[in-house]
Amino acid sequence: MSEVQILESVRQFMARQHGHFVHGKWIAPATSERIELLNPATEQVIATIAVGGQEEVEQAVQSAHDAFTNDWANTSPYERGVKLNKLADLVEQHAEELAQLETLSTGKLINLSRHLEVAQSVVFLRYFAGWATKIHGQTMQPSIPSMNGEKYTAYTVRQPVGVVAGIVPWNFSLMIGIWKIGSALTTGCTIVIKPSEFATLTLLRLVELALEAGIPAGVINVVTGKGDTGQHLIHSSLVKKVSFTGSVPTGIAIGKQAMSSDLTRVSLELGGKNAAAILADACIDEILPTLLQATFVHQGQVCAAPERFFIHQSKYDEFVQKVSGALQQLKIGSPLDESSMFGPLSNQPHFDKVKHYLHLAQKNNQVISGGHAIQGTGYFVEPTLLKVQGVDDPLFLEETFGPVVDVIPFTSDEELIAMMNHSRFGLTASLWTNDLAKALRLIPQIEAGSIWVNMHTFLDPSVPFGGIKASGVGREFSDAFIEDYTELKSVMIRY
Ligand code: NDP
């Protein structure tokens, strides 16, 4: 099958000399330094972006602060919801354009960009829009004794924290950006976004759509660049909250810096080494399509996806044989070809990182299936299944963030839980079983922020999401995000 035709609007957008988006306008970068964005399937330059320094970051933060205290503060909750819904409509109308930009930038299969990245972004935006009118405090009846007949009452009110710094990774650049934008705007905050240097274009297009949706200038700003740009942002004194999604080392550094910078609030959505446990009663043929889809979607570059399969000893041989067979059937190819089932990794540094793990596995004879980078143009590797050399093996402990999965047999529930929890991470886990009683007994023992049964890697806006242990601090979605984006103010009245 041939590749989808690139829209003229996409070509024109990529050809632009992009600057930063501040106060509803494109501003010229202060320096001439530019970053080349490569298509990971072809290694060709598709666009360039500017590198934001202190000056541009301060301009963006000041603009967000002004909007926070003026236009956005004067916008009613109902209007905020209407504008977010309007943005959702515009994302839907520009879905193919955004999907193509995402695929060209990150190597995500075009159908995944269309049906997950863009379609789910719309779902999340509408969900957040609904919250705008539902954020409220409580009333309390204090117990202070009345001496002279006076009475007391008290209430709480939730107020937006102010300017949010949103730092976004490259794997779901649009959707994760929208999680931060939706959370900020619906609670009445404003935001400055720093996209990943590897996946910037979709958010640059989104802010134009936001302006078209009637979201006032300054409410959403974008400054592009590398880690240094993010550093300027989190150190700005007008930033009241940092919302970071990315790797554990960067997250820990940012968390420390934010706390030491006037206790700036910080939420961290970090990595994982997630476990999927296939219990003795599971029917391998039945679970395989869902499990493999959840594991190898976007070439495994999904924070929530499993990287460790624990299989009951009685099913181990059958499982390994069937998974290896299924992986060899995946058609690897151009992400713009609708018939491809597996595309490239998203960028060169990540390709190098995954190749390092593949070499390690080869050196130690641990490869069961796959295990190679694919020769030629583009950052392609084979989907890979590995044995591990015990629970202290780096391949058991370290996040590859790629299509590289361990298979580990177990015999008892105790052994399973001990191995699943033997990790510094605690993002997600899944149990594959029809024995509901056993699942309900195991769930409290598993150290993870999200646990699925007979599914994995499904994020829904109505269900809180976030990690424990080194996988993060804070929760997104549901009503859990409100705590992070608002201050709870208490008022007591004597009358
Ligand atoms: P990084 O931590 O490398 O980068 C994340 C973002 O932080 C990027 O925008 C990056 O900019 C920026 N950044 C890098 N260094 C600094 C710094 N010192 N100060 C401020 N900002 C900085 O992560 P990746 O982009 O490589 O993303 C992959 C990681 O993200 C994986 O570990 C994955 O598990 C995790 N992740 C977690 C999710 C969750 O919800 N828990 C969801 C998705 C991913 P630049 O790219 O320009 O370097």
Side-chain angles (χ1 to χ4, degrees):
M1 207 184 231
S2 59
E3 297 196 344
V4 299
Q5 196 160 0
I6 302 300
L7 299 172
E8 189 49 34
S9 56
V10 170
R11 287 188 196 287
Q12 285 177 12
F13 190 75
M14 291 192 301
R16 281 203 222 159
Q17 187 80 351
H18 298 282
H20 310 289
F21 194 79
V22 177
H23 214 74
K25 292 194 289 283
W26 293 106
I27 61 162
T31 70
S32 58
E33 186 186 351
R34 306 216 34 105
I35 299 171
E36 291 185 332
L37 301 182
L38 302 188
N39 176 342
T42 62
E43 298 177 51
Q44 282 171 355
V45 177
I46 55 168
T48 67
I49 52 162
V51 178
Q54 173 118 29
E55 190 184 320
E56 294 108 316
V57 166
E58 281 309 328
Q59 254 180 284
V61 173
Q62 187 62 53
S63 156
H65 179 72
D66 294 346
F68 173 68
T69 49
N70 293 298
D71 284 355
W72 206 231
N74 297 328
T75 305
S76 72
Y78 170 75
E79 286 173 280
R80 292 204 299 264
V82 168
K83 288 178 196 307
L84 282 170
N85 271 321
K86 175 78 178 145
L87 177 57
D89 294 344
L90 288 170
V91 169
E92 220 162 29
Q93 283 163 30
H94 293 266
E96 182 63 16
E97 187 186 339
L98 290 162
Q100 291 192 5
L101 285 172
E102 178 67 20
T103 289
L104 287 161
S105 310
T106 68
K108 191 168 287 152
L109 296 179
I110 185 67
N111 279 329
L112 192 64
S113 295
R114 288 169 178 158
H115 303 305
L116 180 68
E117 179 93 38
V118 178
Q120 278 299 103
S121 294
V122 171
V123 170
F124 274 97
L125 269 174
R126 294 206 172 114
Y127 181 82
F128 284 119
W131 267 113
T133 48
K134 294 164 194 71
I135 296 166
H136 58 76
Q138 292 175 309
T139 56
M140 290 97 186
Q141 184 60 57
S143 299
I144 302 171
S146 173
M147 299 297 178
N148 299 307
E150 78 277 20
K151 291 191 173 184
Y152 299 90
T153 190
Y155 67 94
T156 58
V157 59
R158 287 212 168 266
Q159 293 186 315
V161 292
V163 177
V164 175
I167 301 182
V168 182
W170 45 259
N171 64 331
F172 283 90
S173 63
L174 180 69
M175 190 164 66
I176 295 176
I178 277 178
W179 296 350
K180 297 182 191 311
I181 290 169
S183 306
L185 269 57
T186 200
T187 49
C189 299
T190 56
I191 192 163
V192 180
I193 292 271
K194 208 299 278 176
S196 167
E197 68 190 273
F198 301 106
T200 308
L201 297 178
T202 49
L203 285 172
L204 290 181
R205 184 68 186 106
L206 182 80
V207 287
E208 293 185 329
L209 297 178
L211 203 63
E212 204 179 319
I215 294 173
V219 173
I220 310 175
N221 305 274
V222 178
V223 184
T224 61
K226 303 185 184 181
D228 285 350
T229 310
Q231 282 288 301
H232 293 307
L233 187 53
I234 59 179
H235 284 111
S236 171
S237 60
L238 291 175
V239 166
K240 298 301 172 205
K241 173 184 165 54
V242 176
S243 172
F244 172 82
T245 305
S247 63
V248 170
T250 313
I252 290 176
I254 286 179
K256 285 182 186 161
Q257 290 162 353
M259 288 305 284
S260 60
S261 169
D262 281 340
L263 296 178
T264 302
R265 284 164 166 257
V266 62
S267 50
L268 305 169
E269 292 294 345
L270 310 178
K273 187 76 180 177
N274 309 308
I278 291 90
L279 305 192
D281 71 294
C283 170
I284 304 300
D285 289 328
E286 256 175 41
I287 69 169
L288 224 51
T290 314
L291 177 63
L292 294 186
Q293 167 70 17
T295 306
F296 292 99
V297 61
H298 193 25
Q299 293 72 256
Q301 301 164 119
V302 181
C303 58
E307 286 199 12
R308 296 179 299 159
F309 287 159
F310 294 95
I311 304 107
H312 191 268
Q313 184 69 62
S314 62
K315 293 282 167 76
Y316 183 82
D317 291 341
E318 179 192 357
F319 182 86
V320 167
Q321 183 230 324
K322 288 183 172 165
V323 173
S324 303
L327 294 184
Q328 279 154 23
Q329 300 301 313
L330 289 181
K331 183 186 165 201
I332 302 175
S334 165
L336 284 168
D337 180 339
E338 288 171 334
S339 69
S340 294
M341 297 159 83
F342 195 81
L345 297 178
S346 286
N347 56 70
Q348 169 95 55
H350 189 55
F351 183 48
D352 292 342
K353 175 180 157 182
V354 172
K355 280 195 296 184
H356 157 78
Y357 286 113
L358 296 181
H359 290 150
L360 196 65
Q362 275 157 3
K363 196 175 83 186
N364 297 323
N365 229 358
Q366 290 173 257
V367 177
I368 299 174
S369 166
H372 299 96
I374 295 169
Q375 297 300 316
T377 309
Y379 309 137
F380 292 89
V381 298
E382 293 171 335
T384 296
L385 216 54
L386 302 177
K387 292 180 277 200
V388 293
Q389 302 176 315
V391 294
D392 294 322
D393 184 338
L395 289 162
F396 182 90
L397 295 173
E398 294 171 19
E399 181 191 42
T400 67
F401 205 51
V404 182
V405 183
D406 306 331
V407 280
I408 306 129
F410 70 91
T411 49
S412 69
D413 293 349
E414 293 71 29
E415 186 193 14
L416 170 66
I417 293 294
M419 288 197 292
M420 285 176 87
N421 290 343
H422 186 81
S423 171
R424 68 188 294 228
F425 301 104
L427 191 59
T428 73
S430 61
L431 297 172
W432 298 76
T433 180
N434 288 318
D435 185 344
L436 190 59
K438 177 172 277 207
L440 289 171
R441 278 194 297 274
L442 293 176
I443 286 167
Q445 302 175 57
I446 299 170
E447 294 169 354
S450 292
I451 300 176
W452 291 283
V453 178
N454 295 326
M455 60 196 289
H456 201 128
T457 324
F458 281 83
L459 301 189
D460 186 279
S462 63
V463 182
F465 178 70
I468 64 172
K469 295 158 80 176
S471 288
V473 176
R475 291 290 179 273
E476 312 216 52
F477 320 151
S478 181
D479 60 354
F481 77 98
I482 295 169
E483 175 74 30
D484 279 341
Y485 285 80
T486 57
E487 291 288 3
L488 189 62
K489 183 177 278 180
S490 299
V491 181
M492 282 184 77
I493 301 173
R494 180 176 184 270
Y495 63 98

